[in-house]
Amino acid sequence: MERKGILFVLSGPSGAGKGTVLHEVLQRVSGLAVSVSVTTRAARPGEIDGIHYHFRTQEQFQAMVENNEFLEYVSKFNNRYGTPKAQVQKLLEEGTDVVLEIETKGAAKIRKNNPDAVYIFITPSSFEELTRRLSVRGTESPEVCALRLKIARTEYRSIRHYDYIAINDNLQECVDAVCAIILAERNRRKRNPSLAERLMNPCSKC
Ligand code: 5GP
């Protein structure tokens, strides 16, 4: 195996379009797996257990916490979310690149143990645009929109810890940017030490 998998952490406020961007990126970039999180929130219409999330009860989630089964976990909007450790570690060991689509507090926990991971923040180019999108989306009540905007303000403060900001005003441009980041990271010399070694030391008969 030439290298271990790269861990990509994708964050951004609610309404930034992370899910849509990731869906498009997966159509374009091969060899990328998405970690399926565990959550205590109820499934939304169309969401499938094991594909969008592993939907679990509070008790089941707590048992996983006590068994140390999460890379990170948080509470958000009165629900709990966690990244299952075994699944992600196995993929990385096998050399598969893995994307976590998680909020900023969880990303901060991942950062402590994964300095080599790549942190990408997806956002519209202004807070005003985010506000507009959340209000026209119409899927949440004004109270929930206000709560999401309040949380977004704190999430923006953590932008300084991210390696990349991918602006999502235009979906295709944002997808292009995220694909470019992934491809560039894959080609970093430091991530391909045995390839570099082989190229620096060709066999004497060649
Ligand atoms: P939603 O309920 O809308 O699917 O997700 C709410 C938020 O939780 C989103 O910002 C999403 O990225 C985040 N999230 C989903 N799974 C996880 C996880 O495993 N860990 C953390 N820290 N955040 C998550």
Side-chain angles (χ1 to χ4, degrees), residues 18 37 41 44 53 72 74 81-83 101-103:
K18 288 167 294 186
S37 293
R41 87 151 160 73
R44 295 182 185 133
Y53 281 105
E72 60 75 38
V74 294
Y81 297 85
T83 304
E101 194 227 297
I102 61 174
E103 52 70 68

Side-chain angles (χ1 to χ4, degrees), residues 7-8 22 26 32-38 50-54 71-72 82-85 87-89 91 97-102:
L7 188 59
F8 292 96
L22 183 53
L26 291 171
L32 203 56
V34 180
S35 161
V36 179
S37 293
V38 180
I51 295 198
H52 298 94
Y53 281 105
H54 299 291
L71 272 183
E72 60 75 38
T83 304
K85 197 188 289 182
Q87 176 198 36
V88 173
Q89 283 179 343
L91 287 163
D97 299 334
V98 180
V99 181
L100 309 183
E101 194 227 297
I102 61 174

Side-chain angles (χ1 to χ4, degrees), residues 143-156:
E143 293 74 28
V144 172
C145 275
L147 176 64
R148 289 187 177 225
L149 285 171
K150 189 168 166 234
I151 292 171
R153 280 185 194 281
T154 57
E155 288 177 324
Y156 276 118

Side-chain angles (χ1 to χ4, degrees), residues 29-81:
V29 178
S30 59
L32 203 56
V34 180
S35 161
V36 179
S37 293
V38 180
T39 184
T40 60
R41 87 151 160 73
R44 295 182 185 133
E47 283 184 335
I48 300 164
D49 185 36
I51 295 198
H52 298 94
Y53 281 105
H54 299 291
F55 295 100
R56 296 290 181 267
T57 62
Q58 290 284 356
E59 293 70 28
Q60 289 169 328
F61 194 102
Q62 185 55 29
M64 290 182 76
V65 170
E66 284 161 22
N67 286 333
N68 196 23
E69 290 180 46
F70 289 119
L71 272 183
E72 60 75 38
Y73 61 92
V74 294
S75 293
K76 192 172 178 184
F77 307 133
N78 299 323
N79 293 306
R80 300 179 90 185
Y81 297 85

